[in-house]
Amino acid sequence: QVQLVESGGGLVQPGGSLRLSCAASGSIFSINNMGWYRQAPGKQRELVARITSGGSTNYADSVKGRFTISRDNAKNTLYLQMNSLKPDDTAVYYCNVQMRLVSDTYFRAYWGQGTQVTVSS
């Protein structure tokens, strides 16, 4: 009924940039909060950045000033612009979207499939 398709990951040198996208499609009635999480090998999944339906944002301290989260409500798409990347940013990045489907009366969180970001020289 709903799909979250992530794209934009890859291999980049330290100091480089990447832009991640997460496109939601299907029988969507409404989208609330959206966010990016990441999970490095051997570590727990952690919040990277989050954006509300009204556009308010918050970031993990480790990415403040380097990453920017944004959304295009007309396209049901979430973005993460990542600049000044560091090796510590290496992880699988997942989008998380709170959606209410046409067939539902409540919001539920959905996860993307994940996209690998590797920062290495």
Side-chain angles (χ1 to χ4, degrees):
Q1 281 187 311
V2 64
Q3 273 194 317
L4 287 177
V5 178
E6 300 183 31
S7 61
L11 172 64
V12 64
Q13 292 186 340
S17 298
L18 284 174
R19 189 192 194 206
L20 305 183
S21 299
C22 172
S25 62
S27 303
I28 301 168
F29 180 81
S30 181
I31 295 178
N32 195 7
N33 297 339
M34 309 174 84
W36 289 98
Y37 290 73
R38 67 186 180 187
Q39 187 166 19
K43 295 186 177 181
Q44 289 189 330
R45 191 172 297 189
E46 62 175 2
L47 174 68
V48 175
R50 185 164 46 202
I51 185 167
T52 68
S53 57
S56 297
T57 60
N58 64 285
Y59 297 88
D61 288 343
S62 59
V63 307
K64 281 181 182 177
R66 300 188 298 121
F67 290 11
T68 302
I69 190 171
S70 61
R71 61 193 284 173
D72 185 332
N73 292 328
K75 296 181 179 179
N76 289 339
T77 301
L78 175 69
Y79 303 99
L80 184 68
Q81 178 66 43
M82 305 186 293
N83 299 328
S84 303
L85 282 160
K86 305 174 182 179
D88 284 349
D89 295 318
T90 296
V92 178
Y93 284 70
Y94 299 90
C95 62
N96 178 277
V97 180
Q98 293 180 355
M99 290 188 285
R100 176 185 164 188
L101 304 186
V102 171
S103 58
D104 290 339
T105 58
Y106 53 89
F107 284 89
R108 189 157 65 106
Y110 294 83
W111 289 95
Q113 82 282 5
T115 185
Q116 177 70 47
V117 171
T118 302
V119 185
S120 175
S121 55

